[in-house]
Structures are given as structure tokens and as C-alpha cells.
Amino acid sequence: MGLIMARGDSPGFVLLDVRTPGEYNQGHIQGAKLLDYYHPEFLKRLKTLDREKTYLLYCRTGNRSGRTLDVMGKLGFKQAAHLAGGIVAWQGKGYALVKAKVVNPDLVAP
């Protein structure tokens, strides 16, 4: 939560949801961009992201985001972290989710 509060409005900060479009549509953290971990082009799309930005990743419980964080490190991303415990932990602390739907799940997260 601290990183989101400190950097959430910065154009150099990206909150990245690596869950499926269905999970995202059920509720996600305000401002999160979707990059589906299970999409066949996930790695290709991950490689297109700006390595100069700061990323906070999350998934349901931290497994997919943790694996994504490892890959990002190997790809040279310097400023990346993941939300320990994922969205389950987020909700457990009483933080809100939004339910706006992703219009096109095939769009690459910026």
C-alpha cells in the first residue's frame, strides 16, 4: 500500500495485475493495468514494457506475481516489486477493489 500511495499518480509507476481477465473483472486495485500471466504472448508482452518505470505486481496470492518478478529481474527491470499475499492479502486488510471491466484483454499494459 505504501508504494501505491507514494507513487500511484506518477507516470513512471505501473500497478500491474497479472491475473486473468475474468479475475480482473471480478475486482482489481484502482489504476491497475492487466497483463494476463496465462496469455500465450505473456513473455513477449512483458518484454515490451519500459524498463525505466517502477512496477508493483500482484495476482491472487502472490505466486504468479512472484514468478513474474523473477522474470523481470532476468530481463533487466530494476524497479519492480510484488504485493506479498496478492489481492487476497489486500482485501484481508480492508482495502477496496474496483469492478470496471477490461474492454480488450489483448491490449498490452503500458
Side-chain angles (χ1 to χ4, degrees), residues 9-69:
D9 291 336
S10 169
F13 174 76
V14 179
L15 182 57
L16 199 58
D17 185 327
V18 296
R19 299 175 303 150
T20 66
E23 290 172 305
Y24 181 91
N25 290 344
Q26 289 174 357
H28 56 274
I29 299 172
Q30 179 77 36
K33 306 296 181 194
L34 177 64
L35 186 61
D36 181 0
Y37 182 85
Y38 294 121
H39 192 283
E41 293 189 2
F42 173 77
L43 184 57
K44 179 180 177 182
R45 292 174 179 191
L46 187 65
K47 289 178 179 180
T48 68
L49 298 180
D50 186 345
R51 286 164 176 74
E52 300 303 314
K53 292 187 176 184
T54 299
Y55 295 89
L56 178 59
L57 316 165
Y58 74 91
C59 62
R60 184 176 174 278
T61 61
N63 292 324
R64 287 172 276 182
S65 60
R67 289 191 296 262
T68 301
L69 184 62

